[in-house]
Amino acid sequence: MTDTAIRLLLEFDDQVRRDREQPPTFLHRRDRKYAMDCHKRGITPSPRHWLAHLARLSGQAGKSSADAALGTWRHIMMGFILAGSAFGVVTMLGLLFYEGGQRINVTVILAVAFLQLLLAGVTTLQAFAGWQPWRPLLTRFSDQRSNAVLRKLQPQLMARAAHVGGLAFGTCGLLTLLVMVVVQDLAFGWSTTLNTDSHRFLGLVQAISAPWHWLWPTAVPDASLVETTRFFRAQAGAITLNPARLGDWWPFVAMVWAFYVLLPRLVLAIIADGHLRFRASRLLKRHPGLTAWQYRMETPALETGNAHNDAEHQPDTSTNSQLKPLPESDTVICWAGAGEPELPDALNGPDTLVLRAGGRASLQDDTITLAKAADHLAHITRPAVIVVTRGWEPPTGELQDFLQHAREQWPRASHVAVVPLTTSGLDEPPAHQLQQWLRFTERLGTDFACVSLPPLLPQNPYHQREQ
Amino acid sequence: MDNAPVFAVVGHPNKGKSSVVATLSQNDAIAIALEPGTTRQRQAYPLTVDGRTLYTLVDTPGFQRPRRVLEWLDAHSMSASDRAETVAAFVTQHRDDPRFTDECELLTPLVEGAGIIYVVDGSVPYSAEHEAEMTILRWTGRPSLALINSIGPDDYSSAWQAALGQFFQVVRKFDAVRAHFDQHLSLLRAFGQLEPTWESPLEQATGFLADQRRQRKIQAARLIAKALEDMMSYQEKRTLTTNQATETSEQALAETLRRSWYQHQRRREQTLRVSVEHLYQHKRIQRQEAELEWHSDHDLFSEDSRRAWAVSRRYLATAGFGAGAVGGAGIDALTFGSSLGTGALVGGILGAAGSYFYGDRLALPALKIGALRDGLKTATFGPVQDSQFGYVVLGRAVDHWWHISHRNHAGRDQLDLAPADSHWLENLDRKSRQDIQKAFDRCRKRKTPDDRQRVTFAAAIEQAMTVYDDWRLNRT
């Protein structure tokens, strides 16, 4: 009588309960991997195999979390076995009580046997119907926080315990009977208050003996035995026949006990055990965790490539540079299409030399621009150049190269003011755009270039400056 | 799949390449800054299904010196047929040249066979200086798609569309921060159109991603259901010895219990928030949300919270009718139906009346201070008897879920969970209402639900999430 199915159910339920604390993505990955592994090895995934797999990985193979939950029921079953055994011995001793002056009434033994049969039937019925009249008692003496799944199996567990107890009762009763037959000279007879003749009693005992009449004919009472062993209240103690005949009832009594007390209990205990396993298997099949587990195994595990984390590797966005005043200059270089279609009036005087570089211009054009600017600056005492850029475009390596070449080619005292423009060219670029240009000139690491803003047109007093 | 397509996301610096990759790879840990040169090395983001890669996105640095590269390429090419080889030769030759680090990082995946996803910012005017970059990309001979990603409020996308159409096979608009999930899938399908052999893996990928999204909604509903169960049934308990009991007034004890109870509820709610965010792979969200607050002894929430998330008395009555009818149906069963459903009707009416009159107030029995017994005094606060508590927590949780499920991983702004201004839950169907109310009632009585009841409750919450989604859709 093993508890494999219950253990499986309890262990599965326990694992599902523990999994509730885990992130769903982890569970999915874990179970999908397991399913794929099974597929590769040609194994059909099953809850039992899965649990063993998890236990092996966590180094707990062989340990069962179900032991503790089943402990109470092991104790209950043991209690039933002990009590059944004790009751079996006591009951049989009581039935066979014989002090030599009277006879042991076979009718009483038959009544006790059939009462046992009735009790066994009621126990089975109760288990199948799910009645638990003893539940308050169990609740009182067992752990209140007992497993919820195990609670659903209580009727079947109780029926099995009761039948095993009944089996112990029957076995011990039969053994006691045999011992008593050996060690004592028992005198059986039959008697009843009812007005029953020997023929009818003979019919009854022969009907009862039907199951074993082919197996052990001696254990089937014949007409003479029934006729001669009847006793009445008035003739108690009086023996008028061969005393040996009075002992001939014992094979019948033993077989009655075996067939109507022991055997039904054995059969019903096996049925109870089967019912218990069936219920446990059905609970496992209907367990919501099983559906979720199967879904996880069947559904592919998706990784969206989000393992990389460089959020902390932000560039240094602190800058010490400040805007510088726009220098006096009559040289303007429009970088990468800035100042198109026309430069702001503040930068474009009648004598301003406007040159173009970057963007659509070729590198040769850039070189020509650098040379023209160098020529122009050579005649100026405080040479300064304004490089206008599109404020919204980030500064690139090309502008950096251009400024480095300018520094190398232009007069030593030359100075560059980078002026980032907005799309309209009329207002100040927003702070985040301005910051990138400030950091750009700071990274150049020289005083050669700085960032300035052009004098803006007189503003509408109600204009809100964008920050 | 050995030949899974690879897409290199390339472009001018600071045009949102990393944002596009962050959104499509659901990664909120990719550095995104308003600073050019944030990405210095290429980084691959593969989409794998059971370890099998369906496609890979490669984030790359932006072009720094495209004209110089183009000049080199021009100088080393004889005819159009050798252009791709010339680009490969450029990469080989300049791998260790610090001036061309960014270009080499950018061009390497293309040389190795990646498709091109060229990203521009549609909120700034078209710039001809990008033409050198686009020409280089055309030289690689790889299948190409251009994305117009709008970072700012202005729209110059039509000018960009016209220009990009001359260089790229497909031109699409895609807002990396605001694009809806359906647009992600549509974009992935567009990637598949670049090359016939790429269509199948991209189609599979979109299918898997759509399934994943459906599943996430179910899982989010379960997380919310579990949190509600925990919060609605939570009880704060204190046992005091004789000395402690004499030193502490009942009022102080009640206040301590109430405070601890609220702290626990807040913590549990925060745990739910983090779980839902992690479910959707948001791990770095800065969140702003009004905390659960109360004004007086028996008010669970500020009036604002109640106004925003609680349900009306009419709603409570209809939900309570269903819950009561179940109890009444027991009477009908006992009479073998001879009561002709009167039990269910009476039970329903009682349930509805109870919910109508008592459903929106915190009943006093939430706080219990026992008498001194065996030298010990036990005081408890909770479980909360006000079913509105559950509706407020549910409303806040569903709202948070909605924001998270609609948030792209490129978004770096703070998540501001402002209260809703409508009783959206009132659009919920009757059965879901009743299932939610029944679950709340069970929690109030500290009855542990069985698995079937848990599933029903989670399904009702999932339905509430759908209703909220519809309400948001119709509102905006």
Side-chain angles (χ1 to χ4, degrees):
Chain A
M1 208 166 280
T2 58
D3 288 331
T4 318
I6 313 172
R7 273 172 196 283
L8 181 62
L9 172 69
L10 292 177
E11 282 171 18
F12 184 83
D13 183 66
D14 191 44
Q15 184 62 42
V16 169
R17 207 154 354 105
R18 270 182 281 148
D19 281 353
R20 282 192 192 131
E21 308 301 322
Q22 297 281 14
T25 43
F26 163 76
L27 297 179
H28 190 190
R29 217 168 31 235
R30 179 194 67 185
D31 297 336
R32 179 65 180 170
K33 192 151 196 287
Y34 163 75
M36 287 167 65
D37 188 43
C38 285
H39 180 72
K40 208 183 291 174
R41 291 160 56 196
I43 301 167
T44 308
S46 68
R48 190 187 307 281
H49 187 264
W50 177 66
L51 289 169
H53 168 79
L54 294 182
R56 193 171 57 248
L57 288 177
S58 57
Q60 291 182 322
K63 292 181 186 170
S64 172
S65 58
D67 285 337
L70 286 174
T72 308
W73 283 100
R74 263 198 302 273
H75 291 144
I76 290 173
M77 186 163 340
M78 193 52 69
F80 268 94
I81 291 172
L82 291 175
S85 305
F87 273 119
V89 173
V90 170
T91 306
M92 190 51 80
L93 286 175
L95 289 173
L96 301 182
F97 181 74
Y98 178 63
E99 33 133 37
Q102 97 294 7
R103 297 174 204 180
I104 300 163
N105 194 348
V106 172
T107 320
V108 176
I109 295 175
L110 284 178
V112 171
F114 285 105
L115 179 66
Q116 276 298 309
L117 189 61
L118 182 71
L119 287 175
V122 169
T123 304
T124 299
L125 194 67
Q126 195 176 287
F128 276 90
W131 299 335
Q132 299 180 61
W134 32 263
R135 194 174 178 177
L137 197 69
L138 194 69
T139 312
R140 188 181 171 87
F141 291 106
S142 69
D143 186 1
Q144 293 292 322
R145 297 159 298 167
S146 66
N147 194 300
V149 174
L150 204 57
R151 275 204 299 273
K152 292 179 184 170
L153 292 173
Q154 269 179 191
Q156 291 73 40
L157 283 163
M158 187 57 100
R160 190 178 69 170
H163 285 311
V164 171
L167 197 60
F169 173 87
T171 310
C172 289
L174 185 62
L175 289 174
T176 309
L177 170 69
L178 296 176
V179 169
M180 290 298 286
V181 167
V182 172
V183 301
Q184 215 178 342
D185 183 15
L186 300 173
F188 293 96
W190 67 275
S191 178
T192 172
T193 316
L194 300 174
N195 189 17
T196 306
D197 62 19
S198 300
H199 289 291
R200 291 180 71 181
F201 194 76
L202 177 66
L204 177 71
V205 294
Q206 285 192 334
I208 289 170
S209 316
W212 62 84
H213 74 276
W214 52 272
L215 188 68
W216 192 7
T218 320
V220 182
D222 53 21
S224 70
L225 180 65
V226 172
E227 189 71 39
T228 54
T229 56
R230 179 165 193 178
F231 66 95
F232 296 93
R233 289 180 290 264
Q235 56 175 174
I239 299 171
T240 57
L241 78 159
N242 178 11
R245 287 296 278 161
L246 293 175
D248 287 348
W249 276 101
W250 80 262
F252 170 75
V253 172
M255 290 310 275
V256 163
W257 199 261
F259 266 79
Y260 293 103
V261 177
L262 201 56
L263 194 62
R265 282 293 188 181
L266 182 65
V267 171
L268 291 176
I270 292 168
I271 289 173
D273 192 52
H275 186 209
L276 185 60
R277 283 190 221 182
F278 170 75
R279 277 259 320 149
S281 306
R282 204 171 60 166
L283 282 174
L284 181 63
K285 274 183 200 154
R286 293 179 179 180
H287 199 293
L290 188 77
T291 318
W293 174 68
Q294 283 167 338
Y295 180 85
R296 290 197 295 269
M297 289 200 302
E298 288 162 6
T299 319
L302 207 59
E303 296 282 344
T304 53
N306 64 350
H308 180 69
N309 181 349
D310 62 1
E312 305 303 328
H313 304 154
Q314 297 279 349
D316 180 14
T317 51
S318 61
T319 174
N320 299 319
S321 300
Q322 299 292 322
L323 287 171
K324 296 281 169 59
L326 191 70
E328 289 285 330
S329 171
D330 60 353
T331 311
V332 173
I333 298 175
C334 300
W335 177 259
E340 289 176 359
E342 58 180 356
L343 277 169
D345 291 344
L347 299 174
N348 196 9
D351 301 325
T352 306
L353 173 64
V354 179
L355 300 168
R356 303 202 179 275
R360 203 178 257 169
S362 68
L363 290 171
Q364 273 184 330
D365 294 338
D366 285 8
T367 311
I368 293 166
T369 297
L370 284 171
K372 279 184 184 173
D375 282 348
H376 187 72
L377 294 172
H379 308 293
I380 299 172
T381 328
R382 293 171 63 189
V385 175
I386 293 171
V387 175
V388 293
T389 62
R390 295 177 153 208
W392 63 90
E393 293 289 0
T396 60
E398 285 192 341
L399 179 60
Q400 188 181 341
D401 293 350
F402 182 80
L403 293 177
Q404 271 175 357
H405 290 151
R407 189 161 171 251
E408 288 159 13
Q409 293 174 27
W410 291 351
R412 188 174 289 270
S414 301
H415 181 68
V416 167
V418 176
V419 177
L421 299 178
T422 57
T423 49
S424 68
L426 300 175
D427 39 21
E428 194 176 306
H432 73 271
Q433 288 182 2
L434 213 49
Q435 286 292 315
Q436 65 181 0
W437 291 101
L438 286 168
R439 281 193 290 274
F440 171 69
T441 54
E442 190 187 355
R443 277 199 299 269
L444 291 177
T446 64
D447 294 332
F448 177 65
C450 66
V451 181
S452 303
L453 288 180
L456 298 170
L457 291 173
Q459 295 290 306
N460 181 335
Y462 300 106
H463 173 73
Q464 287 288 322
R465 206 176 71 169
E466 191 181 349
Q467 291 299 315
Chain B
M1 189 168 294
D2 296 323
N3 297 318
V6 178
F7 302 99
V9 182
V10 298
H12 202 65
N14 216 24
K15 297 299 177 192
K17 296 183 291 296
S18 295
S19 298
V20 170
V21 174
T23 289
L24 294 180
S25 67
Q26 302 181 19
N27 185 345
D28 66 351
I30 296 178
I32 294 173
L34 289 168
E35 178 72 6
T38 305
T39 309
R40 296 294 299 168
Q41 288 183 318
R42 67 179 186 277
Q43 182 65 46
Y45 298 90
L47 180 114
T48 59
V49 176
D50 294 339
R52 180 173 63 108
T53 303
L54 288 182
Y55 70 82
T56 302
L57 287 174
V58 182
D59 191 14
T60 66
F63 281 102
Q64 287 293 329
R65 294 173 173 84
R67 289 182 307 151
R68 203 159 287 280
V69 175
L70 195 55
E71 186 187 47
W72 192 97
L73 295 176
D74 259 331
H76 291 79
S77 170
M78 290 284 286
S79 66
S81 60
D82 66 10
R83 284 176 172 173
E85 285 174 25
T86 313
V87 174
F90 173 85
V91 173
T92 309
Q93 187 153 334
H94 295 89
R95 199 161 274 153
D96 301 322
D97 186 340
R99 289 177 310 147
F100 295 111
T101 305
D102 289 5
E103 274 76 8
C104 288
E105 285 288 307
L106 184 160
L107 292 171
T108 299
L110 302 181
V111 167
E112 290 170 355
I116 297 167
I117 310 292
Y118 183 70
V119 181
V120 298
D121 180 4
S123 67
V124 296
Y126 170 71
S127 171
E129 70 170 319
H130 291 67
E131 286 176 12
E133 300 170 359
M134 295 192 271
T135 306
I136 296 168
L137 294 174
R138 196 157 59 179
W139 274 51
T140 62
R142 300 304 304 153
S144 60
L145 178 145
L147 277 188
I148 303 173
N149 175 35
S150 288
I151 296 174
D154 298 331
D155 186 17
Y156 296 91
S157 53
S158 51
W160 278 107
Q161 199 136 17
L164 293 167
Q166 297 172 39
F167 289 87
F168 298 95
Q169 289 167 260
V170 182
V171 180
R172 295 286 290 258
K173 284 169 79 170
F174 182 74
D175 187 331
V177 175
R178 282 172 288 271
H180 190 263
F181 183 73
D182 292 339
Q183 290 169 284
H184 302 189
L185 298 186
S186 162
L187 181 63
L188 289 174
R189 286 193 195 98
F191 291 174
Q193 289 164 11
L194 296 178
E195 182 119 338
T197 54
W198 293 352
E199 195 168 349
S200 167
L202 266 301
E203 197 59 45
Q204 282 182 46
T206 52
F208 285 126
L209 285 167
D211 284 346
Q212 184 191 52
R213 188 169 175 82
R214 277 192 289 275
Q215 187 57 20
R216 279 179 178 171
K217 186 182 173 189
I218 296 169
Q219 286 168 338
R222 286 182 193 154
L223 288 172
I224 294 172
K226 179 77 178 74
L228 274 167
E229 193 191 307
D230 292 348
M231 291 174 77
M232 286 290 288
S233 56
Y234 181 70
Q235 186 179 57
E236 186 73 30
K237 194 173 180 182
R238 288 273 194 290
T239 304
L240 305 177
T241 59
T242 316
N243 287 345
Q244 288 169 327
T246 49
E247 285 168 10
T248 314
S249 71
E250 287 204 346
Q251 199 177 357
L253 178 60
E255 185 57 31
T256 310
L257 278 173
R258 196 174 286 124
R259 199 179 296 279
S260 304
W261 187 86
Y262 272 101
Q263 278 169 358
H264 176 273
Q265 302 292 30
R266 285 179 180 141
R267 278 198 302 273
R268 183 65 186 87
E269 199 183 40
Q270 289 306 304
T271 312
L272 170 66
R273 299 284 184 270
V274 173
S275 304
V276 171
E277 284 161 13
H278 283 194
L279 181 65
Y280 283 87
Q281 296 180 184
H282 286 286
K283 294 176 183 168
R284 309 176 60 82
I285 282 185
Q286 299 286 319
R287 200 181 331 110
Q288 181 171 339
E289 182 181 20
E291 281 203 329
L292 293 175
E293 279 182 359
W294 73 100
H295 284 315
S296 59
D297 285 355
H298 306 308
D299 275 346
L300 271 171
F301 301 104
S302 66
E303 280 306 306
D304 285 347
S305 291
R306 275 183 176 268
R307 202 164 40 243
W309 301 115
V311 291
S312 67
R313 284 184 160 207
R314 194 162 51 84
Y315 178 99
L316 281 176
T318 51
F321 183 88
V326 172
I331 299 169
D332 296 334
L334 282 176
T335 57
F336 296 103
S338 59
S339 60
L340 301 173
T342 317
L345 183 66
V346 171
I349 290 169
L350 286 176
S355 298
Y356 187 84
F357 292 111
Y358 301 107
D360 65 342
R361 60 178 81 155
L362 174 63
L364 287 173
L367 176 68
K368 282 182 191 162
I369 300 178
L372 198 63
R373 189 179 294 169
D374 300 332
L376 294 172
K377 184 177 200 171
T378 304
T380 58
F381 188 87
V384 61
Q385 298 301 305
D386 185 354
S387 55
Q388 290 286 26
F389 175 83
Y391 290 109
V392 171
V393 174
L394 172 65
R396 287 160 60 96
V398 171
D399 178 60
H400 171 257
W401 161 80
W402 188 85
H403 280 95
I404 292 300
S405 70
H406 285 76
R407 184 182 172 95
N408 286 342
H409 291 74
R412 296 292 193 268
D413 54 328
Q414 185 172 265
L415 175 62
D416 188 7
L417 295 171
D421 54 3
S422 164
H423 292 296
W424 57 273
L425 201 61
E426 307 205 345
N427 298 329
L428 195 60
D429 63 280
R430 178 172 296 208
K431 182 177 179 310
S432 301
R433 284 181 191 209
Q434 291 168 359
D435 288 341
I436 291 172
Q437 183 65 37
K438 272 185 263 179
F440 286 173
D441 288 346
R442 266 197 308 273
C443 293
R444 231 166 11 94
K445 295 169 191 165
R446 301 196 82 195
K447 286 183 182 170
T448 311
D450 60 27
D451 292 325
R452 192 186 52 79
Q453 288 166 333
R454 281 206 172 99
V455 169
T456 311
F457 185 35
I461 287 174
E462 197 189 331
Q463 189 56 33
M465 289 154 81
T466 306
V467 165
Y468 187 83
D469 199 18
D470 291 344
W471 173 72
R472 278 272 180 181
L473 196 69
N474 294 330
R475 199 181 70 146
T476 49

